[in-house]
Amino acid sequence: MGLAKMIQFNVLGDERGQLISLESNKNVPFAINRIYYIYGVELDVRRGFHAHKKLEQILICTSGSCNVLLDDGIKKQVVRLDNPTIGLFVGGLIWHEMYDFSPECVLMVLASEHYDEADYIHDYERFLKEERQ
Ligand code: T46
């Protein structure tokens, strides 16, 4: 089975344009405690390089595109995000890296918890150890 859990959002569109609504514990499978977005990333820049212990997140490219590498310590999968109607769910203990950002990319992230540096695992060997436990 693939690592990528994609969520297709319902689009409330009409002749005026498109609208997507994101609601805690409805089309988003957790209570949203934080939203952040990443933009203005140069093409050759790679971000991420960590896993979270518990945090659950949904990554949505609301504009432009980027790639996300997912790694559970055994399997790796690259997901291209280029559609604002699709979210990528990333749960705990998934190493992830984001790269190949297009100039207009806005990567919006819905997160289940407030920012907590203690939830990050930045060391790949430590990630593998925690994954095996
Ligand atoms: C993740 C991927 C997808 C804060 O102060 N509050 C926040 O909510 C966030 C997300 C970051 N920061 C600070 C921490 C750093 O000093 O902003 C700076 C840049 O964050 P970071 O280097 O962690 O950015 P990325 O792109 O490597 O990772 C981010 C998220 O941090 C991370 O949780 O899963 O996006």
Side-chain angles (χ1 to χ4, degrees):
M1 211 179 83
L3 289 179
K5 296 178 187 131
M6 311 305 294
I7 301 176
Q8 173 71 62
F9 300 118
N10 192 28
V11 181
L12 305 162
D14 57 30
E15 65 284 353
R16 298 167 300 165
Q18 313 304 329
L19 186 154
I20 291 176
S21 167
L22 304 168
E23 296 185 274
S24 292
N25 297 315
K26 289 195 170 175
N27 56 351
V28 172
F30 51 75
I32 302 163
N33 269 304
R34 177 166 52 108
I35 299 172
Y36 60 92
Y37 41 96
I38 296 168
Y39 62 97
V41 182
E42 299 285 338
L43 192 62
D44 56 351
V45 169
R46 244 177 136 96
R47 305 183 62 116
F49 292 98
H50 59 250
H52 286 284
K53 294 178 190 167
K54 296 215 171 88
L55 188 69
E56 296 185 314
Q57 304 192 100
I58 293 182
L59 280 58
I60 306 165
C61 246
T62 58
S63 166
S65 61
C66 70
N67 282 350
V68 184
L69 168 75
L70 303 171
D71 175 351
D72 69 356
I74 299 168
K75 299 187 294 286
K76 289 185 190 349
Q77 184 177 353
V78 174
V79 179
R80 178 120 191 111
L81 292 180
D82 59 2
N83 182 336
T85 75
I86 290 176
L88 168 64
F89 177 86
V90 181
L93 291 184
I94 297 287
W95 186 267
H96 50 282
E97 298 170 19
M98 301 86 74
Y99 61 101
D100 269 358
F101 286 81
S102 67
E104 73 282 25
C105 180
V106 179
L107 178 61
M108 182 174 75
V109 182
L110 315 178
S112 64
E113 307 296 334
H114 294 157
Y115 178 69
D116 178 11
E117 175 55 34
D119 187 67
Y120 285 69
I121 304 171
H122 291 288
D123 180 68
Y124 190 74
E125 293 307 316
R126 201 182 127 219
F127 156 70
L128 290 179
K129 218 177 263 177
E130 298 228 3
E131 185 65 73
R132 282 187 209 115
Q133 273 163 17

